[in-house]
Structures are given as structure tokens and as C-alpha cells.
Amino acid sequence: MACPVQFLCRGIRTVGLVLLYYAFSIGITFYNKWLMKGFHYPLFMTLVHLAINFCLSALARRAMQCWTGKPRIILSWTDYLYKVAPTALATALDIGLSNWSFLFITISLYTMTKSSAVLFILFFSLVFKLEEPNPFLIVVVLLISSGLFMFTFESTQFNLQGFTMVLLASFIGGIRWTLTQVLMQKAELGLQNPIDTMYHLQPLMFVGLFPLFLYNEGLSLSTSEKLFRVTELSPLLYSLITLSIGGLLAFGLGFSEFLLVCRTSSLTLSISGIFKEVCTLLLAAALMGDRMSLINWLGFAVCLCGISLHVGLKTYYSRNKGPSLRQLNSKSPELELPLLRQNGDDSAAEFNDEDEEQEITLH
């Protein structure tokens, strides 16, 4: 009787973590689109989110240090500027352009175009030799590319400027996630824990995005009644509260992904991400009035087939490899959070069951 109960508990836990991930991921997408309707300063919004993420990651590091009794990693300035800065700059541009695009395009077009990031991740993974060449990758590229073309073909809500921004963000996102994977797998840096990675990335991301903010939004924001020329306290508080909510959602998204991968597997996160795209499009059509033709839906289905094939290939080939550095570190006591720590026997049994799926990929 213990086995069915244990299986049921594990299933309930997995469903709960997936729903938590969906809530933050879908929530921040709709939040960004909603906020951009009345607050036309996406780069400033991104800077606020980065500042909140840094503060929350610092608090999380402090809590983890108190729990484990081990000091958290602090990089030297040399490693920080030469090894972390490229990843931080790519991440800042990816997030900044993605948020900026909400001024011009619908959620459905954003979601579909952002899915093309898999293509660029594949490309840069091959360049950095993180991915081995495989003939099936050609099929993945063709499926995703043709699906994206079908989705944008004769779209009634197509906007070239917003589409270009998201496509450029996806391209930079390929660089971002490839560099992030390299960064987290360098044992000498000690950034295997995503909380430590977030903590070190946010300041450089802020500095990297700030000049672009000054050039595009600095003057208009300084003369806007939304913040600096406000005449009453209530509009100012409203702006600050709404911006802070986005920062909490952004941190919650990263943290929920971390929990989902650590307590289940990267395969669960990848499959959940596919169904999340479907949920996002359905909600966009129902809540935001996004209009999509039959060929647009077919294009989305073709793109999902390409992404699903890529996930399947990653799973198949990862089973034939030995434990990776990331896999071993994911089982370290530092990643065991107080609320998730279980009795030794149950936890060990779960880890043994999930060994084959525990290799963490950042796709």
C-alpha cells in the first residue's frame, strides 16, 4: 500500500509544481501585455524587475546560507566582468526586447515567435559544441521554421516592428541560454545553483540595459505624469505597486522553474513548457481577443511538433550519457529547500527513480 500512496503523493506534488510554474509564466506574459497598454516604458519596467529580482535573490541566498550553514559563492571581479558579463548582457537584451515588443504585437504572435528561440539555441549549442550534430536536428529546424511561417502568414494582427523585436530577442536568447549553460557548468565558478546565478547576473543586466533605457525612455519618462511629474500620491503608488508585482512574478517564474527541475526533471519542465504555449494561446484568444485563422493554428501545431521532437531527442540521447556535472550538483544538500526536504529513505528513493531524467538543460 505504501507504493501507490507514494506514487500518488509524487504525482500530486508534480502537478502542483507544474501549476505553480504555469501561474507565474502565463501570469507574467499577460501582466506585461496589460501593463504596456497604459505604461509605455518597457525598459524602465524591466529595470525595476531586475532590481527586485536582485533583492529577492539576495534574501534567498541569505536564507539558504542560514539553512545549510555554508557561505554562498562570491565571484572575484575578474571572473565577474570577463565570464559573467557576456551572459548578463545577452540576458538583459533578450528580456528588454521581449518586453518592448508588447507595445506592438499580440500575446499569440509573441508566444509563437518566441518559440523560435529553440532554433537559435540549437545553432549556438552547435557553435559552442554543447550539442552534437544530428541529422534529426534538420527536421526540427524545418518544422519550427515552417510552423512560424504558417503562423504569421496573412495574420490580421501582424506587426513587423514587434515581430522583428521578438525575433531578435529569440536570436539573442539563443546566445543567452548557451552562455548560461556554459556559465553554470563551470565548476570553478560555483554558480550551479540558479539562485546564485540570478544574484550575480542582475546587477550587470541592470548596467547593460540602463544606457538603452536612457536613450529611448529617459527624457519622456522624466516628463511623464506616471512617475516623476506626478501631482497626486495615489497614481504614483499605483505605478510602483503594479511595477513591483511584475518583479515578484519574474522572480517567482525563475524560482518555480528551479523547483520543478530540482524536484522532478528537466524533461517535465520541457513538456510542461509545450503545453504552456497551448494554454497561453487559448487564453489570449479568449481573454485578449487575439484572432487566428486555421492556417495559423496549423502552423502552431507544426511548430509544437518540432519542439516536441527536439525534447524527445534530448531525452533519448541524455539517457545514453553518464551523470553530468549539473546532474550531480542538483542533488547536493544546498538545493534541498526546507519546505521540500523529506525523510531520507523517501528522498533517496525518488532520486534513484529520477536519475535518468535529472540532467538539467536550459532550453
Side-chain angles (χ1 to χ4, degrees):
M1 189 66 184
C3 289
V5 172
Q6 185 180 6
F7 179 79
L8 178 62
C9 292
R10 185 186 304 176
I12 293 175
R13 185 195 64 190
T14 301
V15 170
L17 292 175
V18 169
L19 291 178
L20 182 67
Y21 163 62
Y22 278 12
F24 284 115
S25 182
I26 298 177
I28 195 170
T29 299
F30 281 85
Y31 160 84
N32 287 336
K33 182 62 179 177
W34 166 77
L35 186 63
M36 288 301 100
K37 290 182 178 180
F39 189 85
H40 298 162
Y41 305 101
L43 298 180
F44 178 77
M45 177 193 73
T46 305
L47 291 177
V48 173
H49 292 176
L50 293 178
I52 294 176
N53 277 347
F54 175 74
C55 295
L56 293 178
S57 60
L59 291 175
R61 276 166 52 93
R62 175 63 65 179
M64 295 172 70
Q65 181 173 332
C66 293
W67 175 254
T68 62
K70 298 179 181 179
R72 308 307 305 172
I73 184 70
I74 298 292
L75 295 182
S76 65
W77 280 105
T78 302
D79 289 338
Y80 193 49
L81 294 178
Y82 285 97
K83 297 180 180 180
V84 178
T87 305
L89 181 60
T91 305
L93 291 176
D94 178 17
I95 297 175
L97 287 172
S98 298
N99 290 339
W100 199 349
S101 68
F102 279 114
L103 290 175
F104 309 101
I105 62 174
T106 60
I107 289 179
S108 56
L109 181 58
Y110 167 84
T111 301
M112 184 63 189
T113 309
K114 197 66 174 173
S115 299
S116 65
V118 176
L119 299 179
F120 301 112
I121 291 174
L122 281 175
F123 173 75
F124 287 109
S125 295
L126 292 173
V127 170
F128 285 87
K129 297 182 180 180
L130 298 176
E131 190 96 31
E132 296 182 4
N134 188 298
F136 288 105
L137 295 181
I138 299 177
V139 180
V140 172
V141 171
L142 290 176
L143 285 173
I144 297 177
S145 301
S146 58
L148 181 61
F149 173 77
M150 292 171 64
F151 189 85
T152 57
F153 183 73
E154 294 184 352
S155 176
T156 58
Q157 295 175 303
F158 181 80
N159 182 284
L160 181 60
Q161 184 176 359
F163 175 75
T164 304
M165 283 184 175
V166 182
L167 201 59
L168 180 59
S170 298
F171 175 81
I172 297 175
I175 303 175
R176 165 198 177 183
W177 288 116
T178 305
L179 292 177
T180 301
Q181 184 170 347
V182 173
L183 186 69
M184 295 182 68
Q185 289 181 345
K186 287 184 176 179
E188 67 274 13
L189 292 181
L191 294 181
Q192 286 77 32
N193 191 308
I195 299 297
D196 293 326
T197 306
M198 291 172 61
Y199 173 81
H200 285 87
L201 284 179
Q202 307 306 310
L204 286 177
M205 289 170 61
F206 189 98
V207 173
L209 196 61
F210 192 75
L212 187 61
F213 155 72
L214 287 180
Y215 178 77
N216 287 279
E217 300 176 1
L219 182 61
S220 58
L221 182 63
S222 63
T223 58
S224 171
E225 295 184 356
K226 294 286 184 180
L227 287 175
F228 295 106
R229 292 190 61 191
V230 65
T231 56
E232 297 181 5
L233 182 60
S234 56
L236 177 61
L237 292 177
Y238 177 79
S239 298
L240 293 177
I241 291 174
T242 52
L243 289 172
S244 299
I245 291 174
L248 295 175
L249 288 174
F251 180 80
L253 173 59
F255 196 66
S256 62
E257 290 175 338
F258 168 52
L259 290 181
L260 184 59
V261 169
C262 283
R263 302 307 300 179
T264 58
S265 69
S266 60
L267 177 62
T268 303
L269 178 62
S270 300
I271 296 176
S272 301
I274 295 174
F275 286 100
K276 184 206 69 175
E277 309 293 348
V278 178
C279 296
T280 301
L281 286 189
L282 293 176
L283 288 173
L287 302 178
M288 309 298 290
D290 290 8
R291 298 186 300 274
M292 291 178 287
S293 63
L294 178 60
I295 192 171
N296 297 148
W297 281 108
L298 289 176
F300 178 66
V302 171
C303 186
L304 285 186
C305 290
I307 298 175
S308 301
L309 177 61
H310 175 62
V311 172
L313 290 173
K314 289 290 293 183
T315 305
Y316 174 78
Y317 286 109
S318 66
R319 288 177 184 272
N320 297 326
K321 296 180 180 179
S324 64
L325 168 68
R326 186 72 188 98
Q327 178 181 356
L328 295 175
N329 283 327
S330 68
K331 296 180 177 63
S332 66
E334 294 182 0
L335 300 186
E336 293 278 347
L337 301 180
L339 294 180
L340 298 177
R341 188 181 288 258
Q342 299 178 352
N343 292 332
D345 294 341
D346 292 343
S347 181
E350 287 186 25
F351 281 139
N352 290 331
D353 291 341
E354 295 165 357
D355 272 349
E356 293 182 340
E357 294 182 348
Q358 194 67 32
E359 180 183 358
I360 293 181
T361 57
L362 297 172
H363 292 198

